[in-house]
Amino acid sequence: MALQTVAADQPCPCGSGQTFAVCCQPFMSGLPAPTAEALMRSRYTAFVVGDYAYVERTLAREALVDFSRAELETTAAGMDWLGLDIRQTEKGGPDDAEGTVEFVARFKRANEAGLHHERGLFRKENGQWLYVDGVMNPKGQPVHVTKVGRNDPCPCGSGKKYKKCCGA
């Protein structure tokens, strides 16, 4: 799969409000993320552009045990990522060794809208933040919403009806 490109002066796909060059690009190019949230945002951006090598590089040893790049690529094929919402962070700062980031990633696949809600655990090793594990559906909310009605609000958060937004 070819990587999608994001121009350096374009808004970062992670939704931080910064340009890609200032936000996630430096981490995806090799600089260590300063916080667990910055790593989470850059991992989301890696999913958006299809940089699964970066996703793999930012996994802790124990997370690599069950990781399959081929399975990830198959699962992610045809997904359009619609946005990332960081709900809460605990620790995970520059001087911390661990942290958690609760997030919701919205997507569309085969004209079905969905969301991935997770509370991710991150750990810093040798100055590098890594993804360790996550709890899906941390607050009992649906993890995947299927068959959004044409007149329902769009799950991307635009405030428009689905038929006038992502369903168009």
Side-chain angles (χ1 to χ4, degrees):
M1 173 183 176
L3 294 178
Q4 295 178 22
T5 59
V6 177
D9 63 345
Q10 293 296 306
C12 192
C14 78
S16 67
Q18 299 177 327
T19 64
F20 179 58
V22 171
C23 191
C24 292
Q25 185 180 35
F27 312 133
M28 294 172 69
S29 297
L31 289 176
T35 65
E37 180 179 335
L39 180 66
M40 180 58 240
R41 287 183 177 281
S42 64
R43 285 175 55 84
Y44 171 81
T45 297
F47 276 97
V48 171
V49 301
D51 188 350
Y52 305 125
Y54 179 75
V55 173
E56 186 173 5
R57 275 194 319 271
T58 57
L59 290 173
R61 284 184 309 277
E62 59 268 37
L64 283 167
V65 172
D66 294 326
F67 179 78
S68 164
R69 172 93 67 92
E71 187 176 313
L72 172 61
E73 290 177 3
T74 299
T75 301
M79 291 184 105
D80 291 319
W81 295 97
L82 305 174
L84 175 69
D85 295 318
I86 302 295
R87 296 282 176 92
Q88 181 179 14
T89 59
E90 291 179 18
K91 298 188 180 180
D95 297 326
D96 294 319
E98 288 189 346
T100 58
V101 179
E102 181 182 346
F103 65 94
V104 174
R106 296 179 314 280
F107 61 90
K108 183 170 82 170
R109 182 177 186 177
N111 288 325
E112 291 184 6
L115 50 94
H116 175 94
H117 185 184
E118 180 178 335
R119 183 176 175 85
L121 174 64
F122 296 82
R123 180 176 63 232
K124 193 188 305 183
E125 293 180 3
N126 301 316
Q128 176 81 33
W129 281 102
L130 300 170
Y131 174 83
V132 178
D133 197 5
V135 175
M136 304 289 276
N137 196 18
K139 294 186 178 171
Q141 298 170 346
V143 172
H144 183 74
V145 178
T146 59
K147 301 292 183 188
V148 174
R150 291 177 39 79
N151 290 315
D152 291 338
C154 191
C156 78
S158 68
K160 298 178 183 177
K161 289 183 179 182
Y162 180 68
K163 69 182 178 186
K164 296 284 186 178
C165 191
C166 294

